[in-house]
Amino acid sequence: MSRVIKRVAYTGVAVAVLCGVGACASGPPKTDSQAQADKVMAERVEAALNADKSLFAKHITAHADNGVVRLTGYIWEASDFEEANYIASNVPGVTRVVNDLELNRNGNDNAPTAR
């Protein structure tokens, strides 16, 4: 076989393998009840975050996926990373918390404080 044909064959196999891995990783689509349960879980986590007086959670959003909660948005204090994790992990039904929060020092537009 010529080099070109071998290269095309290897590339085709690699593309097929990657497509197969991608299809397996995405999993089956969620049912309406699963999507609703995730929505309710995210709302409960956000309510718990907003109810905590020591955490300014206005800019934190929770995303739920079958018990795994991902926190996104930003916070102003480094200690808020741990506080948000602690609060979210104690909501019934949460099995794991993924913290994708960003630290935003000095609030918006480098103002002295945005709280």
Side-chain angles (χ1 to χ4, degrees), residues 14-95:
V15 167
V17 168
L18 289 174
C19 289
V21 169
C24 290
S26 63
K30 289 185 179 190
T31 65
D32 289 341
S33 62
Q34 289 170 324
Q36 181 62 26
D38 286 344
K39 180 181 176 196
V40 168
M41 170 83 61
E43 289 171 352
R44 287 185 12 226
V45 170
E46 287 183 6
L49 292 167
N50 286 314
D52 189 279
K53 300 294 182 200
S54 64
L55 178 68
F56 185 73
K58 181 179 178 183
H59 301 288
I60 298 176
T61 303
H63 310 271
D65 185 13
N66 196 29
V68 177
V69 173
R70 183 170 57 93
L71 302 176
T72 60
Y74 54 94
I75 54 175
W76 280 274
E77 303 290 332
S79 61
D80 290 345
F81 284 112
E82 292 176 22
E83 184 71 15
N85 268 353
Y86 177 78
I87 294 166
S89 66
N90 283 302
V91 171
V94 173
T95 58

